[in-house]
Amino acid sequence: MSTSFILCENPVPGGVSIRIYQDADMVLGQVIAPDSVIDGSHTAAEADKDGEIGIHQALASAIELAASNNDQVAVIDPQGLWKEEWGALIRL
């Protein structure tokens, strides 16, 4: 099953979310999920819980974490930074 990316305004309680933001000329991501999902995952999200990781590392972490959590990632993107090549973003 492939990962679904769903545009949201807030993190999904108990689920996997990623907040995308720009800092200077870099697009970064913060993966938000319960500690029980992140801890022991060996992902970049576990290594950097402050959330300032590159967008590709953040996406890879979110996809891996979502595989054990309904294969859905809530995407919080207030600046409209999402790129089509990252996947289809469902707008509800």
Side-chain angles (χ1 to χ4, degrees):
M1 179 176 220
S2 64
T3 302
S4 297
F5 297 102
I6 301 167
L7 186 62
C8 297
E9 291 186 19
N10 297 299
V12 175
V16 178
S17 304
I18 182 170
R19 183 175 67 88
I20 300 171
Y21 60 100
Q22 189 156 358
D23 185 18
D25 62 344
M26 295 182 61
V27 177
L28 302 175
Q30 176 187 19
V31 178
I32 304 161
D35 285 341
S36 61
V37 174
I38 292 178
D39 290 345
S41 66
H42 306 291
T43 63
E46 180 184 29
D48 187 349
K49 289 195 176 185
D50 291 335
E52 295 186 5
I53 55 180
I55 187 62
H56 293 105
Q57 289 179 311
L59 283 169
S61 295
I63 290 167
E64 186 172 332
L65 296 172
S68 64
N69 197 29
N70 299 340
D71 288 317
Q72 292 185 345
V73 175
V75 176
I76 305 159
D77 183 19
Q79 297 174 306
L81 300 171
W82 186 264
K83 294 186 180 181
E84 203 172 290
E85 67 244 26
W86 297 339
L89 183 59
I90 300 167
R91 291 169 168 81
L92 301 176

